[in-house]
Amino acid sequence: MAAPKNRRSVFLGRLPLPERTYLADALRTETVGGVLLLIAAVAALIWANTPLRDSYQSVSSFHFGPGSLGLNLSVQHWAADGLLAVFFFVAGIELKRELVAGELRDPKAAVLPVVAAVCGMAAPALVYFTVVTTGGGSTAGWAVPTATDIAFALAVLAVIGTSLPSALRAFLLTLAVVDDLFAILIIAVFFTQKLNFAALGFAVLGLAVFWLLLRKGVRGWYVYVPLGIVNWALMYNSGVHATIAGVAMGLMLRCTRREDEVHSPGEHIEHLVRPLSAGLAVPLFALFSAGVAISGGALSDVFTRPETLGVVLGLVVGKAIGVFGGTWLAARFTKAELNPDLKWPDVLAVASLAGIGFTVSLLIGELAFKNDPLLTDEIKASVLVGSLIAAVLASVLLKLRDNKYKKLCAAEDLDEDHDGIPDIYEQDNPAYHLRMAAILEAKAAEHRRLAEVAAGRTAGEDGPA
């Protein structure tokens, strides 16, 4: 019998088992990377605010690289343009997988996270624009509070020990993936000033060669790694931000599985590169970007200068309102029904968590105010402060429901027949019920034996002396 056409879909419902397994593996790596990111950020702040601050500046500004190729860059520049290309390469693979095999493959299912992500970027930009125009500041930093840092958000979850259900984690990850896509477009469109068309043409040619080799089934890291570096260098010299090369190459990888494959090439490469991105590239970027001098006066400036106040309010207020409001409106007009195990305050908590903008926010801050080093540092401080406030707010909201989350996670992970598959995914499998019947019958037989032993022991006892 056909389902009625007006049947309501479930928002934040149970994930399919393959998607849940993939998500668990991906988030495990991102969580570890997020903890390293936190450590790197704290180390940068300590290094830049102690008597060793001069050495921090010396190391950050130290230049190396082939000048003849236009690549004699500072350490900080290498971290922002070079190492983050690895991060965006992984982001490109994530986006491709979401589009062909994940939550974004079905347009109806994609509406909610996409609308939430778009609203979650538009609202912070609007908050920033409102604050700076009212206070007479520069609108150049409108894009700074629009990005969500998934690694930092997951690190916060790891620190506060919240057992967030997989559906909420998947929603957060999908938000971050779409968020990264729009951040990439913002960087490419709004922060490209002068173009070297010759270098850009060769970069496009190099990407075409990369795509052709993939389609021909050519394998070997010794082919793709040198080609990827050449494409990155050409993109850098073209005037387009070099991380775009990483995204483009990530999007070219095939992320659908064939019959003889356990993992698609994209998933396999992501599995190899993600630890490098989360464990090395992003923490090193944080180490050389988050080191800003913080004093009482600098912190007060964060809440009095329109540009920095706009960033803080954009991250804390704009992100929460944008993500929550966009999700609620999309659910309302698509007739999506919230998972009965969850409540709208849970969505608000995740929306607040999306206000943690670190890696890409710092990068956009550097690009937006690169001609004003003092304001760049103040913008970085505002990103740190805004992210910290958002993290604390989200932690409080999540802690209020922690017991409920633990019960949901325990139900998701329960595996009474010990076959490696959570029982919740086997309710339609006859073999599962036969295994459980055998297990329960064995337990019943053991209890009957123990009852007989207990009864015999009681009959033979004469009582206390």
Side-chain angles (χ1 to χ4, degrees):
M1 183 176 178
K5 292 184 178 180
N6 62 349
R7 182 179 177 181
R8 297 172 68 88
S9 60
V10 178
F11 168 52
L12 294 179
R14 188 170 74 242
L15 297 176
L17 183 57
E19 186 69 13
R20 184 177 183 270
T21 303
Y22 167 81
L23 178 72
D25 292 339
L27 294 185
R28 192 177 299 113
T29 303
E30 288 289 356
T31 301
V32 174
V35 173
L36 293 176
L37 176 63
L38 283 173
I39 294 172
V42 172
L45 289 171
I46 294 174
W47 193 0
N49 289 276
T50 62
L52 297 174
R53 64 175 67 90
D54 291 339
S55 65
Y56 180 82
Q57 294 298 328
S58 297
V59 173
S60 297
S61 59
F62 177 76
H63 282 64
F64 67 96
S68 59
L69 299 178
L71 297 174
N72 184 23
L73 311 177
S74 67
V75 170
Q76 184 177 359
H77 208 160
W78 276 110
D81 282 30
L83 291 177
L84 277 196
V86 179
F87 166 79
F88 278 106
F89 175 69
V90 174
I93 300 175
E94 286 179 340
L95 178 61
K96 178 67 173 290
R97 188 192 171 281
E98 287 291 324
L99 289 170
V100 301
E103 292 293 298
L104 302 180
R105 71 186 184 280
D106 180 2
K108 292 182 180 179
V111 168
L112 278 162
V114 170
V115 171
V118 171
C119 293
M121 298 189 79
L126 183 60
V127 168
Y128 177 90
F129 188 81
T130 302
V131 172
V132 297
T133 51
T134 302
S138 170
T139 59
W142 64 271
V144 175
T146 60
T148 295
D149 193 310
I150 184 64
F152 212 149
L154 292 172
V156 170
L157 288 178
V159 170
I160 64 175
T162 300
S163 301
L164 204 62
S166 58
L168 284 174
R169 289 179 182 268
F171 180 60
L172 180 61
L173 180 61
T174 306
L175 269 178
V177 169
V178 179
D179 199 289
D180 285 342
L181 169 63
F182 285 102
I184 291 159
L185 294 175
I186 288 171
I187 292 170
V189 174
F190 295 98
F191 296 103
T192 298
Q193 297 176 346
K194 296 180 180 179
L195 284 176
N196 181 330
F197 287 100
L200 182 59
F202 281 113
V204 172
L205 179 61
L207 291 173
V209 172
F210 188 90
W211 178 85
L212 184 61
L213 292 174
L214 288 172
R215 291 300 170 271
K216 293 294 183 181
V218 176
R219 297 186 178 184
W221 65 268
Y222 46 83
V223 174
Y224 292 103
V225 171
L227 181 57
I229 293 173
V230 170
N231 289 341
W232 170 86
L234 288 169
M235 191 68 73
Y236 175 83
N237 281 286
S238 74
V240 178
H241 201 270
T243 54
I244 303 300
V247 177
M249 289 185 283
L251 286 170
M252 290 178 185
L253 292 172
R254 177 169 60 83
C255 292
T256 52
R257 301 176 189 176
R258 293 173 179 168
E259 291 183 2
D260 59 338
E261 292 179 335
V262 178
H263 302 289
S264 67
E267 291 172 326
H268 176 66
I269 293 173
E270 181 187 11
H271 180 73
L272 295 175
V273 179
R274 186 187 287 275
L276 177 64
S277 169
L280 181 66
V282 175
L284 281 178
F285 167 76
L287 181 64
F288 293 109
S289 291
V292 294
I294 295 179
S295 62
L299 288 176
S300 65
D301 288 344
V302 167
F303 296 99
T304 55
R305 184 158 184 164
E307 294 89 348
T308 51
L309 180 61
V311 170
V312 172
L313 293 179
L315 289 171
V316 177
V317 179
K319 269 291 183 181
I321 292 176
V323 173
F324 179 81
T327 305
W328 187 85
L329 288 172
R332 173 92 177 183
F333 289 104
T334 59
K335 296 183 178 180
E337 190 174 52
L338 185 66
N339 182 344
D341 290 329
L342 299 171
K343 305 296 180 185
W344 281 108
D346 299 318
V347 180
L348 179 61
V350 174
S352 301
L353 201 61
I356 300 175
F358 190 77
T359 305
V360 180
S361 292
L362 291 177
L363 175 62
I364 294 177
E366 290 179 357
L367 296 173
F369 299 104
K370 63 181 180 181
N371 296 323
D372 189 341
L374 179 60
L375 183 54
T376 298
D377 282 348
E378 291 180 344
I379 289 293
K380 288 181 179 181
S382 68
V383 170
L384 296 174
V385 171
S387 298
L388 179 61
I389 295 173
V392 172
L393 177 62
S395 299
V396 171
L397 293 174
L398 291 170
K399 274 295 184 183
L400 293 175
R401 297 268 290 167
D402 197 36
N403 289 334
K404 177 68 173 179
Y405 295 153
K406 287 179 179 177
K407 291 178 181 178
L408 291 175
C409 288
E412 286 183 358
D413 296 333
L414 184 64
D415 182 18
E416 288 188 303
D417 61 339
H418 306 292
D419 66 342
I421 300 175
D423 296 342
I424 199 170
Y425 290 98
E426 296 192 284
Q427 297 306 307
D428 296 328
N429 183 3
Y432 160 75
H433 292 290
L434 291 174
R435 286 195 300 271
M436 287 304 302
I439 291 171
L440 294 175
E441 286 168 2
K443 288 183 177 180
E446 177 64 14
H447 281 293
R448 280 193 292 269
R449 186 188 68 81
L450 293 175
E452 291 172 359
V453 171
R457 187 177 298 150
T458 301
E461 287 177 353
D462 295 328

